[in-house]
Amino acid sequence: MSKTSAIFPVPAVKVSPRGATRLKEGHVWVYRSDIVSAGGVPPGSMVGVIDHRGQFLGSALYSSSSQIAIRLISRESVADFPELLGQRIADSIAYREPIIRDTNAYRVIFSEADFLPGLIVDRYSDILSVQILTQAMDTEIVRATLIAELTERLHPAAIVERVDPRVRQLEELPPRPSSLLSGEKSSTTFTMNGVQFNFDALEGQKTGAFLDQRKNYAAAAQYAHGKALDVFCYQGGFALHLATHCSHVAGIDSSRPALEVADQNAALNRREIEWIEANAFDLLKDYAASGQRYDTIVLDPPAFAKSKRDLDAALRGYKELNLRALKMLRPGGILVTCSCSYHVSQANFLEMLAGAACDAHRVLRLIEVRGQSNDHPILLNIPETAYLKCIISHVSQ
Ligand code: SAH
């Protein structure tokens, strides 16, 4: 028996010097190409990580299929993962208690950023929505612990699991439908910043709403005025917030089901908003060409860069949208422009915006450079946890 396995009652995985350096620098991932030996380690098990000299680096969750083979969960040796899970859930809830204001919808657990890689839990009023993204988080004991801990600490009326079939395929997990894990209701209403939203846990994209934009909605509303356009509006997150400050608001999206919910949300808040089903690129081109003018424009497209390779094409896409929006904004107008692509850095995004302003012959003043809401914490040594950019600027001329 090797020295390492005598100390740790869990299988050991040896990583290359490059993998070890990454962990020592504070990251928690080791890619498969940096695994030296993981022979016979069962999928989804907890492992002890050692470097090429046999030095212990921490405890991790192992995936037999993902390119991210190792996700560190502790720098210590962990004997009982379910016990640690309970502690981490309690810590995630405690972290948010003093910082969550004006909302009953927020992210309760954000994967790596809450030291629980592969697990996302969102709260929508009395319903919790869970996403399980790795083999290790999908085991029966982990699922049972998760449901018991969430129920005891947050007393939800229901817990729903949202399944991304592609993720299960990549993790080589058997297919599973999205379904109720506890309780009976799967729809409710929630309130953020005083605005009400319908929520159906078994419909919609992601886990239901874009909670990471919560504080950006409130910030955008502060500056919004006049005639406003919310481009890529989904279920109306920005549009509904703008409606309290603007004389006319229109929202554009290509998804009819999203716009149907947006319309119900407008009714819930007694707001008049015009919803337009269209391809945003085509519509902005037509509007700009026909001389339409706005005082406030929000651009919140889906992620254009899914990998580093897409960066140039993504920046061209962002530039086209921003250029058209800038041409349509009146002097004194407000542009709220977002990117949720991790691979587009804040510096890349600001440079793109400067280029668009130059090409549109407009002078932009930055009012706020913003990111994701604080229930989506950023770990400084894990750059991937910071992904959302939201730039609010004023068109001076
Ligand atoms: N601003 C929204 C989130 C936007 S998510 C909020 O805060 O809730 C991105 C949205 O873009 C999705 O609703 C998707 O349906 C829409 N979309 C994707 N491609 C599009 C296109 N080419 N034209 C219009 N909408 C598009």
Side-chain angles (χ1 to χ4, degrees):
M1 190 183 273
S2 77
K3 198 173 159 210
T4 342
S5 55
I7 301 171
F8 313 112
V10 294
V13 169
K14 189 184 277 189
V15 299
S16 71
R18 190 172 61 175
T21 302
R22 198 172 163 78
L23 295 180
K24 284 176 188 162
E25 285 174 355
H27 211 294
V28 295
W29 294 348
V30 177
Y31 292 102
R32 187 153 308 282
S33 52
D34 284 319
I35 301 294
V36 175
S37 65
V41 176
S45 49
M46 202 177 69
V47 297
V49 184
I50 53 172
D51 70 9
H52 63 292
R53 289 194 214 93
Q55 190 196 343
F56 178 72
L57 299 173
S59 304
L61 303 175
Y62 177 73
S63 169
S64 62
S65 65
S66 169
Q67 277 315 304
I68 305 169
I70 287 288
R71 290 176 167 87
L72 208 71
I73 44 157
S74 173
R75 306 260 160 197
E76 317 272 303
S77 130
V78 174
D80 185 349
F81 177 53
E83 188 188 315
L84 181 73
L85 174 64
Q87 185 55 47
R88 293 273 160 88
I89 292 173
D91 291 349
S92 304
I93 294 169
Y95 165 79
R96 285 160 178 77
E97 253 160 32
I99 62 167
I100 297 294
R101 293 276 172 281
D102 303 324
T103 186
N104 63 8
Y106 56 92
R107 181 149 290 184
V108 182
I109 297 174
F110 185 28
S111 202
E112 277 80 2
D114 282 300
F115 317 106
L116 286 172
L119 181 64
I120 290 177
V121 179
D122 290 328
R123 176 177 186 173
Y124 293 93
S125 181
D126 53 351
I127 296 183
L128 295 179
S129 169
V130 169
Q131 282 173 279
I132 288 173
L133 307 170
T134 56
Q135 292 171 351
M137 290 293 178
D138 195 55
T139 62
E140 282 315 310
I141 174 106
V142 167
R143 284 174 166 274
T145 308
L146 177 65
I147 295 168
E149 292 284 343
L150 291 174
T151 303
E152 188 190 321
R153 295 179 193 281
L154 297 172
H155 313 290
I159 303 178
V160 177
E161 180 183 7
R162 295 270 326 196
V163 175
D164 180 342
R166 213 180 43 97
V167 169
R168 287 192 75 84
Q169 221 172 23
L170 288 174
E171 285 285 302
E172 292 174 3
L173 292 166
R176 199 185 165 107
S178 292
S179 64
L180 275 164
L181 300 180
S182 81
E184 270 160 27
K185 67 188 283 193
S186 63
S187 63
T188 190
T189 58
F190 65 88
T191 309
M192 60 163 72
N193 310 313
V195 178
Q196 285 179 276
F197 291 84
N198 290 291
F199 172 67
D200 191 327
L202 298 175
E203 298 284 335
Q205 301 165 4
K206 282 187 49 166
T207 57
F210 291 85
L211 299 175
D212 49 3
Q213 291 280 24
R214 172 173 52 93
K215 289 192 163 235
N216 298 332
Y217 295 152
Q222 248 187 293
Y223 306 103
H225 63 275
K227 192 177 166 201
L229 191 61
D230 176 6
V231 188
F232 306 95
C233 65
Y234 184 54
Q235 297 177 350
F238 278 102
L240 290 155
H241 280 79
L242 303 186
T244 26
H245 298 78
C246 295
S247 51
H248 179 267
V249 181
I252 303 175
D253 204 282
S254 57
S255 159
R256 177 177 287 267
L259 292 179
E260 279 166 8
V261 180
D263 198 39
Q264 290 160 15
N265 287 338
L268 195 62
N269 293 278
R270 297 196 184 80
R271 299 278 169 214
E272 285 284 331
I273 298 174
E274 184 190 350
W275 305 111
I276 305 164
E277 184 185 341
N279 180 324
F281 285 90
D282 298 343
L283 202 74
L284 286 189
K285 196 170 165 188
D286 291 352
Y287 279 13
S290 64
Q292 298 257 18
R293 291 290 172 264
Y294 290 90
D295 301 294
T296 303
I297 297 181
V298 177
L299 300 174
D300 183 20
F304 288 160
K306 301 259 189 239
S307 76
K308 238 194 224 159
R309 254 176 300 134
D310 305 333
L311 180 62
D312 288 343
L315 288 170
R316 280 195 299 277
Y318 286 120
K319 188 164 174 189
E320 181 182 332
L321 285 173
N322 281 273
L323 181 65
R324 293 200 199 291
L326 285 170
K327 285 186 172 162
M328 290 196 287
L329 279 164
R330 294 193 181 100
I334 295 293
L335 176 69
V336 180
T337 183
C338 310
S339 163
C340 57
S341 301
Y342 159 68
H343 297 284
V344 176
S345 69
Q346 190 189 86
N348 294 148
F349 197 56
L350 286 171
E351 194 182 320
M352 172 286 298
L353 190 56
C358 179
D359 290 4
H361 308 293
R362 307 308 298 264
V363 175
L364 277 191
R365 277 195 287 202
L366 282 190
I367 311 178
E368 293 197 30
V369 176
R370 308 181 56 89
Q372 61 226 42
S373 295
N374 54 4
D375 48 337
H376 293 61
I378 293 168
L379 279 190
L380 206 50
N381 291 29
I382 308 183
E384 292 83 353
T385 55
Y387 61 96
L388 185 63
K389 278 81 46 195
C390 173
I391 314 294
I392 306 182
S393 49
H394 175 268
V395 181
S396 304
Q397 293 163 29

